[in-house]
Amino acid sequence: MAINPSVIEDFSLKSNNTFAISAKAKYFAQAKSVVCLKNLISSYPHLPKFFLGAGSNVLLTQDFPGLIIKIAIPGISYLYEQEDNVFLEAGAGEPWENLIDYAIQHQLYGIENLTLIPGTVGGACVQNIGAYSAEFQEVVEWVKLYDMAENVEKILTKQECQFGYRESIFKHSPSFAIVSVGIRLNKKPCFRLQYPGIKEEMQKRGVSTPTLLDVVEVIRNIRNSKLPDTKKLGNAGSFFKNPKISLKQYEELRQSYPLVPGFPEGDNQVKVPAGWLIEQCGWKGKRRGNCGVYEKQALILVNYGEAQGNEILLLAKEIQSSVQSKFHISLETEVVIL
Ligand SMILES: Cc1cc2nc3c(=O)[nH]c(=O)nc-3n(C[C@H](O)[C@H](O)[C@H](O)COP(=O)(O)OP(=O)(O)OC[C@H]3O[C@@H](n4cnc5c(N)ncnc54)[C@H](O)[C@@H]3O)c2cc1C
């Protein structure tokens, strides 16, 4: 029996993950404050625990035998400002899009390219979300967390967060619960519109000097036309990271596949779009029972209704092995497998 009255036993997680997988948590609770979070953790000292945001980047492959704590700490507060910047604190459980709306409302710049990415502020920080040439880490000042292993609250500087491409220290520190994030937004625009599709969409709309709202609307429009709606088709966005390979390997690859796209990454590295590699292996639009590869974007795996997490994982492994044998490139998952 649950010790804490706010804890639910044998809880179905179906509506708490965008893949809509029906795995169960032995215990489930929401933490709306740090006090509540600490209380929950101390109530179940011997159980495994997992911190969940909006579940938009997890694949549940089995029932969880311990306590899942959904971090629901809300709030966006103005802290102070300087000549060019405004500093905010956002609760880890705040939906990411609320921060975008706050920025639009207050004419603050820096996160507009990240509009419509599902999830919470905490999840955005763990994954260092990115889209259309922008990354979350560019606006982070510090991260406040509760470390359940040491029973202490800590503040990490941006450097200590070790952000990288869909990477951070939080991905490797399961005892850290992010509580809030310090964010620095710009008072003046510095738009990044070079990503393919953005300029064309601006031209179509007859916009030559875009406003913040123009940029947000264009990106929302592009995303809505490309990505599956999680309410209709379970998915977690890009399932795999775009692999980085050496320039030498890229040049060899180009001899066999002259059309292979590649983006220089410095240090003689080239990033190759995983979606292209998967598509070349014939996976785009393919269905395997209850799951499959999205018809418009091969990087997205979808649940057609009743898929189990393991079916999706199996499909992911098949994709990884066909990309490995055709291109000798290994694909790493972006989605967190639980
Ligand atoms: C349709 C769709 C489109 C997407 N597009 C993009 C995109 O363009 N770019 C991109 O980068 N991502 C994208 N994603 C992936 C996803 O939206 C992001 O990774 C998002 O930030 C995850 O946030 P979340 O709150 O849902 O985290 P969850 O999925 O709940 O959790 C992800 C990981 O973070 C951990 N975590 C979450 N909150 C906390 C916390 N407070 N403290 C400690 N750990 C925590 C979890 O333990 C887990 O390991 C997309 C997903 C979907 C479904």
Side-chain angles (χ1 to χ4, degrees), residues 18 50-58 71 92 117-120 122-124 126-131 166 176-179 223 227-228 230 235-238 334 336:
T18 59
F50 183 79
F51 302 119
L52 189 68
S56 66
N57 214 22
V58 290
I71 306 288
I117 297 181
T120 58
V126 174
Q127 299 294 70
N128 182 24
I129 55 170
R166 302 299 171 275
F176 288 2
I178 299 173
V179 165
R223 290 185 69 95
L227 300 170
T230 53
N235 75 91
S238 304
E334 177 176 324
V336 175

Side-chain angles (χ1 to χ4, degrees), residues 31-267:
K32 293 190 176 165
S33 67
V34 183
V35 173
C36 170
L37 174 68
K38 287 183 183 173
N39 182 270
L40 282 166
I41 290 169
S42 62
S43 300
Y44 297 86
H46 304 300
L47 282 184
K49 294 170 195 74
F50 183 79
F51 302 119
L52 189 68
S56 66
N57 214 22
V58 290
L59 177 64
L60 306 169
T61 59
Q62 55 192 318
D63 290 344
F64 188 73
L67 171 66
I68 291 197
I69 302 177
K70 185 179 169 99
I71 306 288
I73 300 168
I76 299 174
S77 357
Y78 168 92
L79 296 178
Y80 63 97
E81 63 192 277
Q82 291 172 346
E83 197 183 337
D84 295 328
N85 301 107
V86 168
F87 295 81
L88 307 171
E89 177 169 8
E94 192 66 36
W96 172 252
E97 199 62 13
N98 286 359
L99 196 61
I100 301 282
D101 290 339
Y102 181 100
I104 296 169
Q105 213 180 337
H106 295 84
Q107 286 294 302
L108 296 170
Y109 304 83
I111 51 173
E112 55 279 355
N113 287 23
L114 304 177
T115 184
L116 235 49
I117 297 181
T120 58
V121 167
C125 187
V126 174
Q127 299 294 70
N128 182 24
I129 55 170
Y132 303 99
S133 315
E135 268 191 353
F136 177 69
Q137 63 159 321
E138 292 159 29
V139 298
V140 174
E141 285 288 289
W142 46 260
V143 175
K144 222 180 257 180
L145 61 92
Y146 173 67
D147 179 359
M148 67 175 166
E150 293 179 15
N151 187 20
V152 284
E153 287 176 50
K154 294 178 182 167
I155 295 182
L156 300 193
T157 62
K158 177 181 176 162
Q159 283 66 31
E160 287 170 327
C161 294
Q162 298 172 22
F163 289 117
Y165 167 54
R166 302 299 171 275
E167 259 303 328
S168 70
I169 192 170
F170 309 106
K171 282 193 101 162
H172 312 282
S173 313
S175 68
F176 288 2
I178 299 173
V179 165
S180 67
V181 182
I183 288 174
R184 176 182 39 78
L185 296 180
N186 304 317
K187 290 184 184 173
K188 293 185 196 126
C190 180
F191 294 133
R192 257 178 255 166
L193 307 174
Q194 72 275 28
Y195 201 90
I198 299 183
K199 261 195 211 138
E200 292 78 349
E201 185 65 29
M202 291 285 179
Q203 275 162 3
K204 236 198 267 171
R205 291 168 177 237
V207 175
S208 52
T209 317
T211 63
L212 180 57
L213 203 55
D214 287 327
V215 175
V216 168
E217 279 178 358
V218 160
I219 289 175
R220 284 179 177 167
N221 198 45
I222 296 173
R223 290 185 69 95
N224 281 332
S225 68
K226 275 192 181 170
L227 300 170
D229 179 351
T230 53
K231 290 193 192 90
K232 295 183 186 146
L233 199 56
N235 75 91
S238 304
F239 198 90
F240 302 100
K241 291 184 183 182
N242 293 317
K244 277 186 207 168
I245 59 175
S246 69
L247 186 58
K248 182 168 172 282
Q249 188 182 1
Y250 179 71
E251 277 162 0
E252 283 163 7
L253 198 63
R254 262 227 324 226
Q255 285 173 8
S256 314
Y257 304 94
L259 296 179
V260 58
F263 304 94
E265 282 282 305
D267 277 352

Side-chain angles (χ1 to χ4, degrees), residues 255-302:
Q255 285 173 8
S256 314
Y257 304 94
L259 296 179
V260 58
F263 304 94
E265 282 282 305
D267 277 352
N268 283 332
Q269 299 264 297
V270 179
K271 200 186 260 180
V272 180
W276 188 89
L277 299 170
I278 298 167
E279 196 175 336
Q280 295 304 305
C281 293
W283 283 105
K284 194 173 178 182
K286 253 196 188 163
R287 185 169 176 155
R288 276 273 191 280
N290 291 314
C291 59
V293 179
Y294 188 49
E295 61 195 6
K296 292 190 196 167
Q297 167 54 275
L299 200 46
I300 300 177
L301 305 191
V302 294

